[in-house]
Amino acid sequence: MTWQSIEKSLQTQLITMRDSSEIRLPEGNFMFANSLLLDDKHFVTIQGAGIDKTVLSFAQQQSGAEGLKISNCSNIRLKDLTIEDAKGDNIKVTDTYGIEFDGVKSHWNGEPKEENGAYAFYPVLCKNVVIQNCIAAGASDAGIYVGQSDSVTIRYNKVYYNVAGIESENSRWVEIHGNEAFKNTGGILIFDLPGLTQLGHTTRVFNNVMEENNYKNFAPEGNIVAAVPPGTGMMLLATRDIEIFDNQFINNRTSGLAIASYDLVSAMSTEEGSQLNNNIETARQDASYDPYPTGIYVHSNSFENGKLLPTTQNEFGLLFMMKFPFGTPDIVWDGIAPDRESFEFCLENNGEFKFADLDAANDFESLNTDWVAFNCRGTNINPIF
C-alpha cells in the first residue's frame, strides 16, 4: 500500500473554499499528522471516490484531538470516503445546522481497545443531522453518536465492534431505522443524562437488526457506557416518548431490550472522580432532570435468543445468571419509578418473549416475570421526516 500526503493542500482548501462549493478527493491512501478543520462554511460538499477507495488515515497523528473537526457551519455533506485511526474522535461536528454523512466509513484498525477514540461519528449541538449508508467500527464509546441535537435521521448503517453501536443522547425528534448493529457491547442506546443543554424526547426506532451484541465492554472505566452489559441489544436510560417497532433482536445474551432509570445507574458507581459519579452529583442538583423513563411503546418486534448465558463480566449479567438460570429476559425494566402507576409503558404484538420487572428499588425482592400489566396500546409517534 502506498501512502501519500495531501495534508497541506487539503487544509488550505478547507480554509479558503467559498460557500456553495465542492472538494473532490481522488482515490488513494492519504496520511495526516494533524487534525483537519472546517469552520464557518456553508453549503459545502467533500466527496471521495468511495469507501475504502479514498482513505484519510490519522494513524500517525501528532497534534489535534480529532481527525476531522467541523464547527459553526451549515449544510455540510461528506460522501464516499473513509476516515480512520484518529487519536480522539474520527469526525466531530459542533454547532452546525445541516450535516449529512452518506457512504462514509469511520473506524479504527486492529482489535477494538480502550485506547481507541471515543466516537467514530460525533455530531453534537447540531440540527438537521443525517447519517446514512455509513460504517462505524472500533469506537471505545459509540460508533454513531448524536448528542443534544434536533431533527436526526440515522438510517441504513452498519455498526460493529463498538462499545455502543448507535447512541442518541439528550436528542429530540430522532429516527433510527434500517440499521444493522452487531458484535457491539450494546447495539442501540437512547440515553438522557443530567446537566446538559437539553433533555431528549420523541424517538422512533424501527426496522433495525440488533444481533449478537455480545462483545466485551472496552470503554474506559468510569464512562457512562462502561455500565452497559455485554449482550445488550438495546438500552433506554431515563428517556421518554419512544416508539420501538418492527425490529429484530437476535442472540443478545444479556437482554434484548433493557429499560433503566438513572437511579439504577447511580447505585452502580462508587468510583470517586469518575464521569459517572460526576453525572450523579449533577443529577442531584439539576431540578429539571427526570431520572425515570416513561412514554415507551414497544410493539411488533421479534425476539430470538438461542439459550445463551448472560455475561459474567458485569453486575447485571451476574444478577441475571442468578435470577434467570434457564434463560435471560428479552425485555427487562428495572422497576424503579417514583409512582409505578405513572410509568407509561406498553407492550403489544411482540410474539413470544421473556419479560422481567426487576423491582430493583427493593433489592429485587418482588421480581416479576408477568407482563400482563403492560399489555396495552401505546402512543404512535408521527413520522418525523
Side-chain angles (χ1 to χ4, degrees), residues 216-289:
K216 64 183 179 182
N217 193 320
F218 58 97
E221 189 173 354
N223 281 14
I224 294 295
V225 295
V228 176
T232 301
M234 182 176 176
M235 185 174 183
L236 310 182
L237 176 64
T239 190
R240 61 202 55 249
D241 301 330
I242 313 294
E243 185 179 4
I244 301 165
F245 61 99
D246 291 339
N247 301 284
Q248 297 179 61
F249 296 84
I250 304 171
N251 290 341
N252 301 289
R253 63 189 293 185
T254 300
S255 65
L257 170 61
I259 302 163
S261 68
Y262 204 81
D263 284 2
L264 182 65
V265 176
S266 301
M268 294 177 57
S269 179
T270 57
E271 183 189 355
E272 187 175 351
S274 71
Q275 176 192 350
L276 184 52
N277 242 320
N278 291 338
N279 281 347
I280 291 166
E281 289 303 315
T282 302
R284 291 169 180 158
Q285 300 171 21
D286 186 351
S288 67
Y289 180 67

Coordinates of all heavy atoms in Angstrom, one line a residue, residues 216-289:
K216 N -17.1 -7.8 24.4 CA -16.6 -7.3 25.7 C -16.7 -5.7 25.7 O -16.6 -5.0 24.7 CB -15.2 -7.7 26.0 CG -14.2 -7.1 25.0 CD -12.8 -7.6 25.2 CE -11.8 -7.0 24.2 NZ -10.4 -7.5 24.4
N217 N -17.0 -5.2 26.9 CA -17.0 -3.8 27.1 C -15.6 -3.2 27.3 O -15.0 -3.5 28.3 CB -17.9 -3.4 28.3 CG -18.3 -1.9 28.4 OD1 -17.5 -1.1 28.1 ND2 -19.5 -1.6 28.7
F218 N -15.1 -2.5 26.3 CA -13.7 -1.9 26.4 C -13.7 -0.4 26.6 O -12.7 0.2 26.3 CB -13.0 -2.3 25.2 CG -13.5 -1.9 23.9 CD1 -13.1 -0.8 23.2 CD2 -14.5 -2.7 23.2 CE1 -13.6 -0.4 22.0 CE2 -15.0 -2.3 22.0 CZ -14.6 -1.1 21.4
A219 N -14.8 0.1 27.1 CA -14.9 1.6 27.4 C -13.9 1.9 28.6 O -13.8 1.0 29.5 CB -16.3 2.0 27.8
P220 N -13.3 3.1 28.6 CA -12.5 3.4 29.8 C -13.4 3.4 31.1 O -14.5 3.8 31.1 CB -12.1 4.9 29.5 CG -12.1 4.9 28.0 CD -13.2 4.1 27.6
E221 N -12.8 2.9 32.2 CA -13.5 2.8 33.4 C -14.0 4.1 33.9 O -13.4 5.1 33.8 CB -12.6 2.2 34.5 CG -13.3 1.8 35.8 CD -12.4 1.1 36.7 OE1 -11.2 0.8 36.4 OE2 -12.8 0.8 37.9
G222 N -15.3 4.1 34.3 CA -15.9 5.3 34.8 C -16.8 6.0 33.8 O -17.6 6.9 34.2
N223 N -16.7 5.7 32.5 CA -17.6 6.3 31.5 C -19.0 5.7 31.6 O -19.2 4.6 32.1 CB -17.0 6.0 30.1 CG -15.9 6.9 29.7 OD1 -15.3 7.5 30.5 ND2 -15.5 6.9 28.4
I224 N -19.9 6.5 31.2 CA -21.3 6.0 31.3 C -21.5 4.7 30.6 O -22.1 3.8 31.1 CB -22.3 7.1 30.7 CG1 -22.2 8.4 31.5 CG2 -23.7 6.5 30.6 CD1 -22.8 8.3 32.9
V225 N -21.0 4.5 29.4 CA -21.2 3.3 28.6 C -20.5 2.1 29.2 O -20.7 1.0 28.8 CB -20.9 3.5 27.1 CG1 -21.8 4.4 26.5 CG2 -19.4 3.8 26.9
A226 N -19.5 2.4 30.1 CA -18.9 1.3 30.8 C -19.8 0.4 31.6 O -19.5 -0.7 32.0 CB -17.7 1.8 31.7
A227 N -21.0 1.0 31.9 CA -22.0 0.3 32.7 C -22.9 -0.6 31.9 O -23.7 -1.4 32.4 CB -22.9 1.3 33.5
V228 N -22.8 -0.5 30.5 CA -23.6 -1.3 29.6 C -23.1 -2.8 29.6 O -21.9 -3.0 29.3 CB -23.6 -0.8 28.2 CG1 -24.4 -1.7 27.3 CG2 -24.1 0.7 28.2
P229 N -24.0 -3.7 30.0 CA -23.5 -5.1 30.0 C -23.3 -5.7 28.6 O -24.1 -5.4 27.7 CB -24.7 -5.9 30.6 CG -25.6 -4.9 31.2 CD -25.4 -3.6 30.4
P230 N -22.2 -6.4 28.3 CA -22.1 -7.1 27.1 C -23.3 -8.0 26.9 O -23.8 -8.7 27.8 CB -20.8 -8.0 27.3 CG -20.0 -7.2 28.3 CD -21.0 -6.6 29.2
G231 N -23.9 -8.0 25.7 CA -25.1 -8.8 25.4 C -26.3 -8.0 25.5 O -27.4 -8.5 25.7
T232 N -26.2 -6.6 25.2 CA -27.4 -5.8 25.3 C -27.8 -5.4 23.8 O -27.0 -4.7 23.1 CB -27.1 -4.5 26.1 OG1 -26.7 -4.9 27.4 CG2 -28.3 -3.6 26.1
G233 N -29.0 -5.8 23.4 CA -29.5 -5.4 22.1 C -29.8 -3.9 22.0 O -29.3 -3.2 21.1
M234 N -30.5 -3.4 23.0 CA -30.9 -2.0 23.0 C -31.2 -1.6 24.5 O -31.6 -2.4 25.3 CB -32.2 -1.8 22.2 CG -32.7 -0.4 22.2 SD -34.1 -0.2 21.1 CE -34.5 1.5 21.3
M235 N -30.8 -0.4 24.8 CA -31.0 0.1 26.2 C -31.5 1.5 26.2 O -31.0 2.4 25.5 CB -29.6 0.1 27.0 CG -29.8 0.4 28.4 SD -28.2 0.2 29.3 CE -28.7 0.6 31.0
L236 N -32.5 1.7 27.0 CA -33.1 3.1 27.2 C -32.7 3.5 28.6 O -32.9 2.7 29.6 CB -34.6 3.1 27.1 CG -35.2 2.4 25.8 CD1 -36.8 2.6 25.9 CD2 -34.7 3.0 24.6
L237 N -32.3 4.7 28.8 CA -31.9 5.2 30.1 C -32.5 6.6 30.3 O -32.2 7.6 29.6 CB -30.4 5.3 30.2 CG -29.9 5.9 31.5 CD1 -30.2 5.1 32.7 CD2 -28.3 6.1 31.5
A238 N -33.5 6.7 31.2 CA -34.1 8.0 31.7 C -34.6 8.8 30.6 O -34.4 10.0 30.6 CB -33.0 8.7 32.5
T239 N -35.1 8.2 29.6 CA -35.6 9.0 28.4 C -37.1 8.8 28.2 O -37.7 8.0 29.0 CB -34.8 8.6 27.1 OG1 -35.1 9.5 26.1 CG2 -35.2 7.2 26.7
R240 N -37.7 9.5 27.3 CA -39.2 9.4 27.2 C -39.7 9.6 25.8 O -39.0 10.1 24.9 CB -39.8 10.5 28.1 CG -39.4 12.0 27.7 CD -39.5 12.9 28.9 NE -38.8 12.4 30.0 CZ -39.3 12.0 31.2 NH1 -40.6 11.9 31.3 NH2 -38.6 11.5 32.1
D241 N -40.9 9.2 25.6 CA -41.6 9.3 24.3 C -40.8 8.6 23.2 O -40.3 9.2 22.3 CB -41.8 10.8 23.9 CG -42.7 11.5 25.0 OD1 -43.5 10.8 25.6 OD2 -42.5 12.7 25.2
I242 N -40.8 7.2 23.4 CA -40.0 6.4 22.5 C -41.0 5.3 21.9 O -41.7 4.7 22.6 CB -38.9 5.7 23.2 CG1 -38.1 6.6 24.1 CG2 -38.0 4.9 22.3 CD1 -37.3 7.7 23.3
E243 N -40.9 5.2 20.6 CA -41.7 4.1 19.9 C -40.7 3.1 19.3 O -39.8 3.5 18.5 CB -42.6 4.6 18.9 CG -43.5 3.5 18.3 CD -44.5 4.1 17.3 OE1 -44.5 5.3 16.9 OE2 -45.3 3.2 16.8
I244 N -40.8 1.9 19.6 CA -39.8 0.8 19.2 C -40.7 -0.3 18.5 O -41.5 -0.9 19.1 CB -39.1 0.2 20.4 CG1 -38.3 1.3 21.1 CG2 -38.1 -0.9 19.9 CD1 -37.8 0.9 22.5
F245 N -40.5 -0.4 17.2 CA -41.3 -1.4 16.4 C -40.6 -1.9 15.2 O -39.7 -1.4 14.6 CB -42.6 -0.7 16.0 CG -42.5 0.5 15.1 CD1 -42.7 0.4 13.7 CD2 -42.1 1.8 15.6 CE1 -42.6 1.5 12.9 CE2 -42.0 2.9 14.8 CZ -42.2 2.7 13.4
D246 N -41.1 -3.1 14.8 CA -40.6 -3.8 13.6 C -39.1 -4.1 13.6 O -38.4 -4.1 12.6 CB -41.0 -3.1 12.4 CG -42.5 -3.1 12.1 OD1 -43.2 -4.0 12.7 OD2 -43.0 -2.2 11.4
N247 N -38.5 -4.3 14.8 CA -37.1 -4.6 14.9 C -36.9 -6.0 15.2 O -37.8 -6.7 15.7 CB -36.5 -3.8 16.1 CG -36.6 -2.3 15.9 OD1 -35.9 -1.7 15.1 ND2 -37.5 -1.7 16.7
Q248 N -35.7 -6.5 14.9 CA -35.3 -7.9 15.2 C -34.2 -7.9 16.3 O -33.2 -7.2 16.1 CB -34.8 -8.6 13.9 CG -35.8 -8.8 12.8 CD -35.2 -9.4 11.6 OE1 -34.7 -10.6 11.7 NE2 -35.2 -8.7 10.5
F249 N -34.5 -8.6 17.4 CA -33.5 -8.7 18.4 C -33.0 -10.2 18.4 O -33.8 -11.1 18.7 CB -34.1 -8.4 19.8 CG -34.6 -7.0 19.9 CD1 -35.8 -6.5 19.5 CD2 -33.8 -6.0 20.6 CE1 -36.2 -5.2 19.6 CE2 -34.2 -4.7 20.7 CZ -35.4 -4.3 20.2
I250 N -31.8 -10.4 18.1 CA -31.3 -11.8 17.9 C -30.1 -12.1 18.7 O -29.0 -11.4 18.5 CB -31.0 -12.0 16.4 CG1 -32.3 -11.7 15.5 CG2 -30.6 -13.5 16.1 CD1 -32.0 -11.7 14.0
N251 N -30.2 -13.1 19.6 CA -29.0 -13.6 20.3 C -28.1 -12.6 21.0 O -26.9 -12.6 20.9 CB -28.1 -14.5 19.3 CG -28.8 -15.7 18.9 OD1 -29.7 -16.2 19.5 ND2 -28.4 -16.3 17.8
N252 N -28.8 -11.7 21.7 CA -28.1 -10.7 22.6 C -28.2 -11.4 24.0 O -29.3 -11.5 24.6 CB -28.8 -9.4 22.6 CG -28.8 -8.8 21.2 OD1 -27.8 -8.4 20.6 ND2 -30.0 -8.7 20.5
R253 N -27.1 -11.8 24.5 CA -27.0 -12.8 25.6 C -27.5 -12.3 26.9 O -27.9 -13.1 27.8 CB -25.6 -13.4 25.7 CG -24.6 -12.3 26.1 CD -23.2 -12.9 26.1 NE -23.0 -14.0 27.0 CZ -21.8 -14.5 27.3 NH1 -20.7 -14.2 26.5 NH2 -21.7 -15.5 28.2
T254 N -27.5 -11.0 27.2 CA -28.0 -10.5 28.5 C -29.4 -10.0 28.4 O -30.2 -10.4 29.3 CB -27.1 -9.4 29.0 OG1 -25.7 -9.9 29.1 CG2 -27.5 -8.9 30.4
S255 N -29.8 -9.2 27.4 CA -31.2 -8.8 27.3 C -31.3 -8.2 25.9 O -30.4 -7.6 25.3 CB -31.6 -7.7 28.3 OG -30.9 -6.5 28.1
G256 N -32.5 -8.4 25.3 CA -32.8 -7.8 24.0 C -33.0 -6.3 24.2 O -32.4 -5.5 23.5
L257 N -33.9 -5.9 25.1 CA -34.3 -4.5 25.4 C -34.3 -4.3 26.9 O -35.0 -5.0 27.6 CB -35.7 -4.2 24.8 CG -36.3 -2.8 25.2 CD1 -35.4 -1.7 24.7 CD2 -37.7 -2.7 24.6
A258 N -33.4 -3.4 27.3 CA -33.3 -3.0 28.7 C -33.8 -1.6 28.9 O -33.4 -0.7 28.2 CB -31.9 -3.2 29.2
I259 N -34.6 -1.4 30.0 CA -35.2 0.0 30.3 C -34.8 0.3 31.7 O -35.1 -0.4 32.6 CB -36.7 0.0 30.1 CG1 -37.1 -0.4 28.7 CG2 -37.3 1.4 30.4 CD1 -38.5 -0.8 28.5
A260 N -34.0 1.4 31.9 CA -33.5 1.7 33.2 C -33.6 3.1 33.6 O -33.7 4.0 32.7 CB -32.0 1.3 33.2
S261 N -33.7 3.4 34.9 CA -33.7 4.7 35.4 C -32.3 5.1 35.8 O -31.4 4.2 35.9 CB -34.6 4.8 36.7 OG -34.0 4.0 37.7
Y262 N -32.1 6.4 35.9 CA -30.8 6.8 36.3 C -30.5 6.4 37.8 O -29.3 6.3 38.2 CB -30.6 8.4 36.2 CG -29.2 8.8 36.0 CD1 -28.6 8.7 34.8 CD2 -28.4 9.2 37.1 CE1 -27.3 9.0 34.6 CE2 -27.1 9.6 36.9 CZ -26.5 9.5 35.7 OH -25.2 9.8 35.5
D263 N -31.5 6.1 38.6 CA -31.3 5.7 39.9 C -30.5 4.4 39.9 O -29.6 4.2 40.8 CB -32.6 5.4 40.6 CG -33.3 6.7 41.1 OD1 -32.7 7.8 40.8 OD2 -34.4 6.7 41.7
L264 N -30.8 3.5 39.0 CA -30.1 2.2 39.0 C -28.6 2.4 38.6 O -27.7 1.8 39.2 CB -30.8 1.3 37.9 CG -30.1 -0.1 37.8 CD1 -30.3 -0.9 39.1 CD2 -30.8 -0.9 36.7
V265 N -28.4 3.3 37.6 CA -27.0 3.6 37.2 C -26.2 4.2 38.4 O -25.1 3.9 38.6 CB -27.0 4.5 36.0 CG1 -25.6 4.9 35.6 CG2 -27.6 3.8 34.8
S266 N -26.9 5.1 39.1 CA -26.3 5.8 40.2 C -25.8 4.8 41.3 O -24.8 4.9 41.9 CB -27.2 6.8 40.9 OG -27.7 7.7 39.9
A267 N -26.7 3.8 41.5 CA -26.3 2.8 42.5 C -25.1 1.9 42.2 O -24.5 1.3 43.1 CB -27.6 1.9 42.8
M268 N -24.8 1.9 40.9 CA -23.7 1.1 40.5 C -22.3 1.7 40.6 O -21.3 1.0 40.5 CB -23.9 0.7 39.0 CG -25.1 -0.2 38.7 SD -25.2 -0.5 37.0 CE -23.6 -1.2 36.6
S269 N -22.2 3.0 40.8 CA -20.9 3.7 40.8 C -20.5 4.1 42.1 O -21.2 4.8 42.8 CB -21.0 4.8 39.8 OG -19.7 5.5 39.8
T270 N -19.3 3.8 42.5 CA -18.6 4.3 43.7 C -17.3 4.9 43.4 O -16.6 5.3 44.4 CB -18.5 3.1 44.8 OG1 -17.7 2.1 44.2 CG2 -19.8 2.6 45.2
E271 N -16.9 4.9 42.2 CA -15.5 5.4 41.8 C -15.5 6.9 41.9 O -16.1 7.6 41.1 CB -15.2 4.9 40.4 CG -13.7 5.3 40.0 CD -13.5 5.1 38.6 OE1 -14.3 4.5 37.9 OE2 -12.4 5.4 38.1
E272 N -14.7 7.4 42.9 CA -14.6 8.9 43.1 C -14.0 9.5 41.9 O -13.0 9.1 41.4 CB -13.8 9.2 44.3 CG -13.8 10.6 44.7 CD -13.1 10.9 46.0 OE1 -12.8 9.9 46.7 OE2 -12.9 12.1 46.4
G273 N -14.6 10.6 41.4 CA -14.0 11.4 40.3 C -14.3 10.9 38.9 O -13.9 11.4 37.9
S274 N -15.1 9.8 38.8 CA -15.4 9.2 37.5 C -16.4 10.1 36.8 O -17.2 10.8 37.4 CB -15.9 7.8 37.6 OG -17.2 7.8 38.2
Q275 N -16.5 9.9 35.5 CA -17.5 10.6 34.7 C -18.9 10.3 35.3 O -19.8 11.1 35.4 CB -17.4 10.3 33.3 CG -18.5 10.9 32.4 CD -18.6 10.3 31.0 OE1 -17.7 9.5 30.6 NE2 -19.7 10.6 30.3
L276 N -19.1 9.0 35.6 CA -20.4 8.5 36.1 C -20.8 9.2 37.4 O -21.9 9.7 37.6 CB -20.4 7.0 36.2 CG -21.7 6.3 36.6 CD1 -22.8 6.8 35.7 CD2 -21.5 4.8 36.5
N277 N -19.8 9.2 38.3 CA -20.1 9.8 39.6 C -20.3 11.3 39.5 O -21.1 11.9 40.2 CB -18.9 9.5 40.6 CG -19.4 8.7 41.8 OD1 -20.5 8.9 42.3 ND2 -18.6 7.7 42.2
N278 N -19.6 12.0 38.6 CA -19.8 13.4 38.4 C -21.2 13.7 37.9 O -21.9 14.6 38.3 CB -18.7 14.0 37.5 CG -17.3 14.0 38.1 OD1 -17.2 14.0 39.3 ND2 -16.3 14.0 37.2
N279 N -21.7 12.8 37.0 CA -23.0 13.0 36.5 C -24.1 12.7 37.6 O -25.1 13.3 37.6 CB -23.2 12.0 35.3 CG -22.6 12.6 34.0 OD1 -22.3 13.7 33.9 ND2 -22.5 11.7 33.0
I280 N -23.8 11.8 38.5 CA -24.7 11.5 39.6 C -24.9 12.8 40.4 O -26.0 13.1 40.8 CB -24.2 10.3 40.4 CG1 -24.3 9.0 39.6 CG2 -25.0 10.2 41.7 CD1 -23.6 7.9 40.1
E281 N -23.8 13.4 40.8 CA -23.8 14.6 41.5 C -24.6 15.7 40.8 O -25.4 16.5 41.4 CB -22.4 15.1 41.9 CG -21.7 14.3 42.9 CD -22.5 14.1 44.2 OE1 -23.0 15.2 44.7 OE2 -22.6 13.0 44.7
T282 N -24.4 15.8 39.5 CA -25.1 16.8 38.7 C -26.6 16.5 38.7 O -27.4 17.4 38.8 CB -24.6 16.8 37.2 OG1 -23.2 17.1 37.2 CG2 -25.3 17.8 36.4
A283 N -27.0 15.2 38.6 CA -28.4 14.8 38.6 C -29.1 15.3 39.9 O -30.2 15.7 39.9 CB -28.5 13.3 38.4
R284 N -28.4 15.2 41.0 CA -29.0 15.6 42.3 C -29.2 17.1 42.3 O -30.1 17.5 43.1 CB -28.0 15.1 43.4 CG -28.0 13.6 43.6 CD -26.8 13.2 44.5 NE -26.8 11.8 44.7 CZ -25.7 11.1 45.1 NH1 -24.6 11.8 45.4 NH2 -25.7 9.8 45.3
Q285 N -28.4 17.8 41.6 CA -28.5 19.3 41.6 C -29.4 19.9 40.5 O -29.7 21.1 40.5 CB -27.1 19.9 41.6 CG -26.3 19.5 42.7 CD -24.8 19.9 42.6 OE1 -24.5 20.8 41.8 NE2 -23.9 19.3 43.3
D286 N -29.7 19.1 39.5 CA -30.4 19.5 38.3 C -31.9 19.3 38.5 O -32.4 18.2 38.3 CB -29.9 18.8 37.1 CG -30.5 19.3 35.8 OD1 -31.4 20.1 35.8 OD2 -30.0 18.9 34.7
A287 N -32.7 20.4 38.9 CA -34.1 20.2 39.2 C -34.9 19.9 37.9 O -36.0 19.3 38.1 CB -34.6 21.5 39.8
S288 N -34.4 20.2 36.7 CA -35.2 19.9 35.5 C -35.0 18.5 35.0 O -35.7 18.0 34.2 CB -34.7 20.9 34.4 OG -33.4 20.6 34.0
Y289 N -34.1 17.7 35.6 CA -33.8 16.4 35.1 C -34.7 15.4 35.8 O -34.8 15.3 37.0 CB -32.3 16.0 35.4 CG -31.9 14.7 35.0 CD1 -31.8 14.4 33.6 CD2 -31.6 13.7 35.9 CE1 -31.5 13.1 33.1 CE2 -31.2 12.4 35.4 CZ -31.2 12.1 34.1 OH -30.8 10.9 33.6

